[in-house]
Amino acid sequence: MGGRGQFQVDGQIFDVKEGTTVRVAPEGERTLRNNGTGDLYFIVVQAQAGSLRQWVETDGVILDKPVTWQE
């Protein structure tokens, strides 16, 4: 997400910006608006309610050593 805007869920309005995460239940009424001066970019990930119960943090590979990042 880039830019600035506002998100409304079930009548509650809050500001969003780059890095904001919003979880909305399937029955939630929602809308998004750009109230900034530039473009508003966002990513939507949708999943069926209750469908991710079988996934946990152990599904990933957890390193037992520090990661060395290359610049």
Side-chain angles (χ1 to χ4, degrees):
M1 180 175 199
R4 294 189 175 274
Q6 288 185 316
F7 203 91
Q8 182 176 177
V9 179
D10 294 333
Q12 295 183 3
I13 300 171
F14 51 93
D15 294 327
V16 292
K17 62 181 182 175
E18 185 172 350
T20 300
T21 302
V22 179
R23 185 208 174 272
V24 181
E27 63 276 2
E29 294 181 2
R30 76 227 48 189
T31 188
L32 174 70
R33 77 174 184 149
N34 180 353
N35 64 349
T37 57
D39 292 336
L40 177 62
Y41 300 95
F42 57 96
I43 297 172
V44 176
V45 177
Q46 184 173 335
Q48 182 177 356
S51 66
L52 300 178
R53 291 183 187 153
Q54 71 275 14
W55 305 106
V56 295
E57 65 185 30
T58 57
D59 291 333
V61 177
I62 300 173
L63 299 176
D64 60 357
K65 62 180 182 180
V67 175
T68 303
W69 296 100
Q70 296 182 12
E71 302 272 335

